[in-house]
């Protein structure tokens, strides 16, 4: 697509996300190169279309992965300003706020996203569950975590988040059962490797909860 139209911003955004998925799927020969390529392509998309909200949202997601939380939040806020009725823009802002240690604000943005898209992807639900978790509202966290699992029963991240919720809520038996579902849906899950690349502000408590549930 870029070869056919080198000024087409969307093509750069989509290619950027492909490089990110290379990292997520463990198929990248160089994580650093893939992340650099992703950022470079998103910058190109934004330079071609400075009003391209989706590109700012994807940039915010990438900056969160790199632990650049304040810049991620500012970039996600720019996307919302450009496209205030975009559920995705609000969800990406919620994601950036959640990882930056601002769960109360994340809850507000996730609910906005769900209002704008009442049949959302599972990551809205498990993101909201995680945000409620860090405000110690465990009943709400469990409710939204279960909705995420109903939406995507074979995805491991909803099970992982609910494992953390149960563990932090003191529900040890349920946490261990949920941890077994993490391993069912992702038999190669490795807590040490995950912890090494995680950038969540509540990282220490997050992985402590997973260890208590028996994951390693």
């Amino acid at each position: 697509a870029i070869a056919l139209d080198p000024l087409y911003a969307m093509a750069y955004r989509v290619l950027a996300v492909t490089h990110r998925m290379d990292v997520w799927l463990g198929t990248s020969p160089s994580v650093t190169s893939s992340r650099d390529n992703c950022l470079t392509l998103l910058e190109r998309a934004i330079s071609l279309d400075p009003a391209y909200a989706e590109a700012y949202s994807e940039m915010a997601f990438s900056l969160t992965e790199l632990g650049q939380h304040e810049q991620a939040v500012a970039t996600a806020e720019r996307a919302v300003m450009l496209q205030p009725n975009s559920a995705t823009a609000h969800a990406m802002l919620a994601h950036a706020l959640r990882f930056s240690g601002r769960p109360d604000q994340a809850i507000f943005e996730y609910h906005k996203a769900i209002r704008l898209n009442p049949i959302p992807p599972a990551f809205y639900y498990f993101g909201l569950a995680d945000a409620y978790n860090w405000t110690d509202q465990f009943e709400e966290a469990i409710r939204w975590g279960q909705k995420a699992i109903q939406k995507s029963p074979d995805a491991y991240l909803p099970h992982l988040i609910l494992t953390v919720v149960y563990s932090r809520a003191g529900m040890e038996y349920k946490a261990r059962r949920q941890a077994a579902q993490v391993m069912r849906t992702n038999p190669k899950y490795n807590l040490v490797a995950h912890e090494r690349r995680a950038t969540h502000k509540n990282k220490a408590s997050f992985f402590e909860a997973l260890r208590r549930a028996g994951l390693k």
Side-chain angles (χ1 to χ4, degrees):
I2 289 168
L4 287 167
D5 186 352
L7 301 180
Y8 184 34
M10 184 184 287
Y12 290 92
R13 178 182 66 82
V14 173
L15 184 55
V17 174
T18 305
H19 282 288
R20 181 192 296 144
M21 289 306 299
D22 227 3
V23 175
W24 273 71
L25 296 172
T27 52
S28 171
S30 169
V31 169
T32 300
S33 294
S34 291
R35 283 180 172 164
D36 287 347
N37 286 334
C38 179
L39 288 171
T40 299
L41 289 160
L42 289 172
E43 287 167 357
R44 178 64 172 150
I46 289 168
S47 72
L48 288 168
D49 184 355
Y52 190 11
E54 290 90 341
Y56 285 99
S57 290
E58 295 293 356
M59 177 68 82
F61 192 95
S62 288
L63 291 169
T64 296
E65 285 186 322
L66 295 171
Q68 298 177 29
H69 296 299
E70 293 311 308
Q71 190 177 350
V73 170
T75 304
E77 286 174 337
R78 173 74 174 162
V80 168
M81 186 189 76
L82 288 166
Q83 204 166 348
N85 290 324
S86 166
T88 300
H90 285 283
M92 289 298 198
L93 175 55
H95 176 82
L97 289 164
R98 175 167 63 97
F99 271 71
S100 71
R102 293 149 71 177
D104 286 310
Q105 291 173 268
I107 288 168
F108 179 79
E109 290 297 332
Y110 276 121
H111 278 295
K112 259 192 175 177
I114 292 166
R115 180 175 59 80
L116 289 163
N117 180 4
I119 310 175
F123 85 85
Y124 288 31
Y125 292 152
F126 70 73
L128 182 54
D130 190 47
Y132 274 119
N133 171 52
W134 297 113
T135 61
D136 294 340
Q137 297 182 67
F138 297 121
E139 287 187 12
E140 282 297 297
I142 291 166
R143 183 166 77 90
W144 289 101
Q146 289 172 340
K147 284 174 75 77
I149 287 169
Q150 289 168 6
K151 187 83 173 179
S152 295
D154 294 321
Y156 92 94
L157 279 173
H159 292 289
L160 192 77
I161 295 298
L162 196 51
T163 300
V164 173
V165 174
Y166 282 137
S167 181
R168 292 193 69 247
M171 302 177 183
E172 183 178 340
Y173 175 68
K174 288 187 174 182
R176 289 185 172 273
R177 285 185 61 189
Q178 206 63 58
Q181 292 300 309
V182 173
M183 297 311 298
R184 176 187 68 82
T185 51
N186 185 4
K188 294 182 179 180
Y189 179 76
N190 182 296
L191 185 146
V192 175
H194 185 187
E195 187 172 21
R196 192 180 300 125
R197 68 176 185 270
T199 61
H200 203 297
K201 278 288 182 74
N202 296 307
K203 175 177 175 176
S205 297
F206 185 91
F207 288 99
E208 179 187 343
L210 291 175
R211 286 191 175 89
R212 285 199 304 271
L215 288 170
K216 54 188 179 179

